[in-house]
Amino acid sequence: MIQLHFAPSSAAMVPHILLEEIGVPYERVLVDKQNGGHKTPAYLALNPNGLIPVLYETAAICLHLSDTHPKAALMPPMDTRDRAHAYKWLMWLTNTLQATLIVYFYPERWADTGHTEVAAEVQRNAQARVGPLLNQLDAEIERRGGPWFMGEQFTLLDAYVFALCRWTRNFPRAPARDRQHLGPYLQRMLARPSVQRVLANEGLVAPYV
Ligand SMILES: N[C@@H](CCC(=O)N[C@@H](CS)C(=O)NCC(=O)O)C(=O)O
C-alpha cells in the first residue's frame, strides 16, 4: 500500500489531495516536524534531504501518481499543447514559487547565525518576490477561464497551486486569496470533497487559505 509521509500543511499536501482524488487506499504516516522528526536517522534513510514528503520530489510524486492512475486523468492528454504547458507549470511551481516560499519560511538559512536583521530582510525580499509570482497564477486562471487551473480539466496542478497559495495565508500583505481570480479559485478548491478530507486528515483549522 502507498505510504504518505506528511506533516500538516507541508508540501505533502499536494500528493495527499491527489491520493484523495484518485481514491486508492493509502496509509498516512505523520512526521513530527516540530520536533525534528524529519532529521532523525530513520527518516534520513528514507529521504536523505531531510524534507517532507519522502519519495522526493513532490513534483515527481505527482507525476508518478498520475502515471500509475491514468483513469484519474490528473494531467492533460499526451501529445497536446496543454500537456506541455502542464509540465511547464509543474516545474515552475516546484523550482520557482515553492523554492521562493521556502526562503520566506526559513530566512535564517540565508543569513549568518544570529543575524536576525539580515534574516528579516531576506524574508521581506522573499515575500516581495512571491507577489509577482502569485500574479502570474492569477493571470493564468483568468486566461484559461477556470474553473480549474488548466481550464475545464482538474489536474495535479490544482493540488499544487492550492497548497502553495495556502502557505501565503499569513502574509502581512497581499496573500494569494486577495487576488481577483485566485480568490474565487481557492474557494472552489476548498469546496472539493478531496480537499475537505485532506484538511480534516491533517487536522487543520480555518482560515484555510
Ligand atoms: N523540493 C522538495 C521540498 C520539500 C520541502 O521543502 N518540504 C518542507 C515541508 S513543506 C520541509 O520538509 N521542510 C523542513 C526543512 O526544511 O527542514 C519537494 O518538493 O519535495
Side-chain angles (χ1 to χ4, degrees), residues 9-12 33 38-39 47 50-53 56-59 61 94 98 102 106 109 160 167:
S9 199
S10 73
K33 185 161 160 260
H38 55 313
K39 306 295 180 194
N47 182 344
L51 299 173
I52 302 158
Y56 53 97
E57 294 280 317
T58 300
I61 300 172
T94 187
Q98 184 178 350
I102 292 294
Y106 300 98
R109 292 177 182 171
Y160 223 131
W167 290 3

Side-chain angles (χ1 to χ4, degrees), residues 10 18 26 35 42 54 58 61 85 95 115 122 129 132 143 147 165 167 183 185 191 193 200:
S10 73
L18 297 182
Y26 68 98
N35 293 310
V54 160
T58 300
I61 300 172
H85 284 290
N95 71 21
H115 287 220
V122 167
R129 294 182 76 88
R143 196 177 73 77
C165 285
W167 290 3
Y185 164 83

Side-chain angles (χ1 to χ4, degrees), residues 77-104:
M78 290 291 272
D79 299 328
T80 61
R81 287 176 68 87
D82 275 356
R83 181 84 170 202
H85 284 290
Y87 286 134
K88 172 192 75 178
W89 280 110
L90 182 61
M91 299 311 144
W92 181 90
L93 286 165
T94 187
N95 71 21
T96 304
L97 179 56
Q98 184 178 350
T100 311
L101 282 165
I102 292 294
V103 178
Y104 172 81

Side-chain angles (χ1 to χ4, degrees), residues 154-167:
F154 179 92
T155 65
L156 55 79
L157 296 173
D158 291 296
Y160 223 131
V161 170
F162 174 80
L164 296 187
C165 285
R166 171 183 153 77
W167 290 3

Side-chain angles (χ1 to χ4, degrees), residues 17-18 21-23 62-78 80 82-83 86 148-159 192:
I17 292 174
L18 297 182
E21 287 283 340
I22 293 167
C62 292
L63 288 173
H64 177 68
L65 288 175
S66 169
D67 288 347
T68 49
H69 300 87
K71 283 202 192 113
L74 293 172
M75 283 285 279
M78 290 291 272
T80 61
D82 275 356
R83 181 84 170 202
W148 310 116
F149 188 71
M150 293 296 291
E152 286 299 321
Q153 185 185 353
F154 179 92
T155 65
L156 55 79
L157 296 173
D158 291 296
R192 283 186 85 89

